[in-house]
Amino acid sequence: MQTEDLQLTLGPNLYFWSRQETFDFYRKIAETPVDSVYLGETVCSKRRELRLEDWIEIGRLLESQGKRIILSTLTMLSAESDLKLIRRICAESPWQIEANDVAAVHLLESLDKPFVAGPALNIYNGRSLALMQRSGCQRWVMPVELSRASLQNILEECRQYADAVPETEIFSYGLLPLAYSARCFTARHHKLPKDDCRSKCQLYPKGLPVLSQEQTPVFTLNGIQTQSGVPYDLSEHLGDLAEIGVRHVRLSPEPQGMPEIIIRFDAARRGETVQAHAESCNGYWLGKAGMEHIPATEIS
Amino acid sequence: MELVCPAGSYPALKAAVDQGADAVYIGFRNDTNARHFAGLNFNDAKAEKAMAYAKSHGTKLFVAINTNPQPQGWSRWQAAIDHAAALSADALIAADFSVLAYAAEKYPDLPLHLSVQGSATNYEALRFYHRHFGIRRAVLPRVLDLKQVAQVAAHAPVDLEVFAFGSLCIMAEGRCYLSSYLTSESPNTCGACSPAAYVRWQETEEGLESRLNNVLIDRYQDGEKAGYPTLCKGRYLVNGQKYHALEEPTSLNTIAMLPELDRIGIKAVKIEGRQRSPAYVEQVVGVWRKAIDQYLANKSDYQVPERWLSVLGKVSEGAQTTLGPYSRPWQ
């Protein structure tokens, strides 16, 4: 496959922005060369600035600009109300759904609806991917901690066990979603219990940086989610992605400069030479510690 | 109420059996299980010896094969499953779809328990695992409060096991890549978290420093007790404040909640700590055995004597215990 065949996707917004900021953001996105857009809340069920109807309205707007829409579901379900919402999304969504928990896989399989398997589903091998394919998975997002070499092996193994291999999407830009907890670290930073968090994560539209005592970025707090300290950036590796057979390149929303990031990746897929974000990492893709950054010039 | 106890070595297994464990769980000596630490776990001969000892005392033996294989390593996972079946293990504790599928297909009589690494926090997810692999039990991740656990128990198609005592993983098990972000090795891929090979201790003018793959995890002043640099337990800077941004070293202890766990229908309680010493296993299992026996003998008059708490407190990490996520304010 050639890099120009790569599709650019905008992942679900992992942060908590106001309703107005969210609408404004996606209006800008409508003008960018992104091919598909994931909408919906995937991190915390207490973030209720937008209702399902609002997401559908945003989806219609983007659809009118030629974007393909996918609705994403919550990653960690703990209350009955979370399940209720997921059931509603699975039943009512006008678009395909990204399942971020096995609960959604179960519901969608029962409804006989095809789905995208999200990055938190722990698909580490081709047998598992084939199993998901039989349950209705048409596209999968590889777990962020896996490498180029793992991907090659997974796709090869999947071909032996499945009639069709789902399309592959790779998380390629943004702070990496690395962990989920029962605890809200943002509320905890403000010395508040989660039940009375007062939506403090709204104060941090791109997360709350965690630095080592030597001031180097280590992680980023985003409510119950912990992210990488610096963004992952595979913009210099698109040739690699295309060669292995990746179809979709996921860019993760940031409050500022998102159209520029999309334009940079669009240029890269058209064959232009681009430079990764100055402070970024690419270790996972190269089979190393995720935080590492290996310059393209040093890769043999 | 079944008491499920850890063993990372044959002496620990013996201690657990002797102290009255209903079941002991072990792992093989490689990356097929989530406690893949140097010097820990069971080779073929030790596993057989463990099985013989457990069987002769009427104790069940579970085998944990609960990491996620990648294609290049599959033969190790397959061999581990075959080995567990050949041992006649009483259950296989697994998380990965492919491991569950292989075991269910090849050994339909080998009971499957969904590992905590499977990260199933709700009954719809459990229905998937039940439908596809016929799991009989699931271990719940330590992310739910007691009311939520009760809700899962009320609708779950399988028996539930919960963590009762031990080190507290702050993150949802099976959904944490922090360790591979810093070191390239994670619980899911290698059965390792903050692996020792990446740890470095250094005396400096600013204090004793602990590093993981060169990232400063904590710095201790004279008189401060230094702990293993598990990355989620370090002191970091957030908005200029230095504190345990994720978690302070502490242990989970739910011994006071035993009646409540029984009432909501929990079928088994699990002690964490395959990486801990035989002495730890002996003491913790001893106390929990007494607690369960006392509770079952007289359900309406269950009390937790101070001496139990003192024994458990002494072996706890950070020497303090919490109810963890079962209690809302912790979250």
Side-chain angles (χ1 to χ4, degrees):
Chain A
M1 214 192 300
Q2 305 293 312
T3 52
E4 57 252 42
D5 297 327
L6 291 169
Q7 304 273 300
L8 296 181
T9 76
L10 185 71
N13 175 25
L14 304 176
Y15 306 107
F16 188 36
W17 303 340
S18 72
R19 189 174 181 280
Q20 189 58 50
E21 285 161 339
T22 306
F23 270 85
D24 291 347
F25 176 81
Y26 286 107
R27 264 185 215 111
K28 274 189 236 152
I29 293 301
E31 311 295 322
T32 67
V34 81
D35 300 292
S36 41
V37 180
Y38 289 78
L39 298 173
E41 176 59 43
T42 61
V43 175
C44 180
S45 57
K46 296 186 71 184
R47 295 173 174 177
R48 293 188 193 122
E49 277 281 307
L50 282 89
R51 298 163 304 146
L52 181 56
E53 291 72 16
D54 294 319
W55 288 116
I56 289 176
E57 188 185 333
I58 292 172
R60 299 268 183 240
L61 171 99
L62 290 162
E63 211 174 26
S64 71
Q65 300 294 311
K67 312 298 182 202
R68 185 173 165 203
I69 307 302
I70 296 154
L71 271 189
S72 290
T73 61
L74 207 59
T75 304
M76 211 173 68
L77 312 172
S78 39
E80 188 62 33
S81 52
D82 300 341
L83 286 176
K84 261 189 203 139
L85 178 62
I86 299 269
R87 283 190 199 106
R88 207 182 136 210
I89 292 172
C90 291
E92 294 176 19
S93 171
W95 305 292
Q96 204 170 69
I97 291 167
E98 177 187 51
N100 284 309
D101 182 80
V102 174
V105 173
H106 175 69
L107 294 169
L108 292 162
E109 184 180 24
S110 308
L111 292 166
D112 219 4
K113 288 189 175 182
F115 61 90
V116 177
L121 279 188
N122 286 349
I123 299 168
Y124 280 81
N125 51 69
R127 293 157 183 263
S128 296
L129 183 56
L131 204 133
M132 280 290 128
Q133 189 264 335
R134 287 192 290 277
S135 293
C137 168
Q138 291 188 339
R139 185 196 299 193
W140 74 300
V141 189
M142 185 172 77
V144 298
E145 69 170 342
L146 293 182
S147 67
R148 175 192 199 279
S150 294
L151 175 62
Q152 263 179 317
N153 291 332
I154 291 169
L155 295 179
E156 196 181 307
E157 192 181 48
C158 184
R159 280 180 211 115
Q160 297 168 38
Y161 292 93
D163 323 325
V165 178
E167 293 180 356
T168 301
E169 177 162 334
I170 297 294
F171 189 103
S172 306
Y173 182 83
L175 296 182
L176 293 158
L178 294 177
Y180 296 84
S181 174
R183 175 174 274 178
C184 176
F185 302 107
T186 307
R188 189 167 179 267
H189 177 72
H190 287 272
K191 301 191 168 56
L192 292 169
K194 187 167 76 177
D195 285 345
D196 180 30
C197 68
R198 300 178 209 169
S199 298
K200 287 293 179 191
C201 53
Q202 239 179 2
L203 295 173
Y204 310 102
K206 50 181 185 171
L208 178 54
V210 176
L211 309 178
S212 76
Q213 293 181 40
E214 298 173 309
Q215 308 281 346
T216 51
V218 184
F219 300 125
T220 303
L221 305 179
N222 176 35
I224 64 157
Q225 183 185 64
T226 306
Q227 304 179 326
S228 58
V230 295
Y232 196 52
D233 190 333
L234 296 185
S235 56
E236 297 173 3
H237 300 271
L238 296 192
D240 226 12
L241 268 70
E243 191 188 314
I244 299 176
V246 171
R247 181 91 180 125
H248 306 274
V249 172
R250 173 175 293 201
L251 315 176
S252 193
E254 283 181 4
Q256 274 103 37
M258 200 65 219
E260 291 75 10
I261 293 163
I262 294 170
I263 288 164
R264 177 156 62 85
F265 273 81
D266 183 46
R269 77 169 154 176
R270 284 188 283 101
E272 288 177 35
T273 305
V274 299
Q275 268 200 324
H277 187 285
E279 265 186 86
S280 64
C281 60
N282 60 10
Y284 276 143
W285 182 246
L286 302 166
K288 301 184 181 307
M291 67 177 178
E292 287 187 37
H293 177 82
I294 315 290
T297 48
E298 287 176 27
I299 299 165
S300 51
Chain B
M1 179 77 77
E2 189 174 272
L3 179 59
V4 183
C5 304
S9 66
Y10 185 72
L13 173 121
K14 245 177 129 254
V17 171
D18 294 349
Q19 291 296 318
D22 295 307
V24 181
Y25 63 104
I26 66 167
F28 295 133
R29 210 157 233 224
N30 57 25
D31 51 0
T32 59
N33 76 92
R35 289 285 184 278
H36 176 218
F37 301 162
L40 207 67
N41 296 320
F42 292 73
N43 62 21
D44 293 6
K46 281 277 159 59
E48 270 162 43
K49 209 171 142 195
M51 189 51 165
Y53 193 78
K55 247 199 186 121
S56 69
H57 289 75
T59 307
K60 293 179 193 160
L61 189 77
F62 300 162
V63 177
I65 302 177
N66 57 349
T67 45
N68 301 99
Q70 290 173 58
Q72 58 273 33
W74 170 251
S75 59
R76 275 198 305 288
W77 275 260
Q78 182 175 328
I81 301 164
D82 293 342
H83 187 198
L87 273 177
S88 304
D90 294 284
L92 193 73
I93 307 171
D96 190 83
F97 299 127
S98 69
V99 172
L100 289 161
Y102 176 81
E105 196 186 311
K106 186 133 188 235
Y107 305 107
D109 296 330
L110 175 61
L112 294 176
H113 294 180
L114 182 67
S115 166
V116 69
Q117 289 289 117
S119 224
T121 56
N122 61 82
Y123 59 85
E124 294 290 8
L126 293 178
R127 285 176 182 162
F128 178 88
Y129 289 103
H130 183 244
R131 174 176 172 185
H132 285 270
F133 315 115
I135 61 162
R136 302 198 197 167
R137 182 189 288 187
V139 187
L140 291 182
R142 286 165 278 191
V143 296
L144 304 173
D145 67 36
L146 198 59
K147 200 178 116 214
Q148 292 165 344
V149 174
Q151 218 146 37
V152 180
H155 298 94
V158 299
D159 288 349
L160 295 183
E161 177 175 312
V162 299
F163 273 90
F165 185 84
S167 285
L168 193 57
C169 237
I170 175 82
M171 301 302 175
E173 295 90 340
R175 283 189 173 153
C176 179
Y177 313 138
L178 297 182
S179 181
S180 63
Y181 180 65
L182 295 192
T183 72
S184 83
E185 295 182 19
S186 79
N188 290 12
T189 55
C190 306
C193 173
S194 313
Y198 294 88
V199 171
R200 205 174 81 226
W201 292 94
Q202 211 168 13
E203 279 290 359
T204 71
E205 285 183 0
E206 289 165 286
L208 174 64
E209 293 180 348
S210 62
R211 288 175 187 271
L212 191 66
N213 204 12
N214 212 29
V215 175
L216 182 62
I217 303 297
D218 212 338
R219 193 180 265 159
Y220 302 92
Q221 302 311 311
D222 287 347
E224 274 188 316
K225 200 177 162 222
Y228 186 87
T230 308
L231 50 84
C232 61
K233 293 173 181 174
R235 274 180 292 192
Y236 300 107
L237 299 171
V238 183
N239 265 341
Q241 298 165 39
K242 184 180 86 175
Y243 68 108
H244 291 104
L246 299 170
E247 173 61 325
E248 292 172 46
T250 127
S251 284
L252 173 74
N253 182 13
T254 63
I255 201 157
M257 290 165 57
L258 195 53
E260 198 59 35
L261 295 172
D262 181 46
R263 261 196 298 278
I264 64 175
I266 297 304
K267 292 294 194 304
V269 288
K270 178 167 224 152
I271 310 293
E272 185 274 349
R274 284 193 284 131
Q275 73 285 13
R276 304 291 299 265
S277 68
Y280 162 93
V281 173
E282 182 185 338
Q283 291 180 15
V284 176
V285 176
V287 167
W288 275 85
R289 179 75 273 158
K290 281 192 207 105
I292 293 173
D293 288 348
Q294 187 192 299
Y295 169 68
L296 293 177
N298 186 356
K299 287 195 177 186
S300 59
D301 187 31
Y302 174 74
Q303 277 164 17
V304 179
E306 192 52 45
R307 63 177 189 282
W308 292 358
L309 295 176
S310 127
V311 171
L312 297 177
K314 272 187 204 131
V315 296
S316 295
E317 193 187 358
Q320 53 172 315
T321 62
T322 78
L323 291 175
Y326 298 124
S327 148
R328 273 321 274 190
W330 181 91
Q331 301 195 1

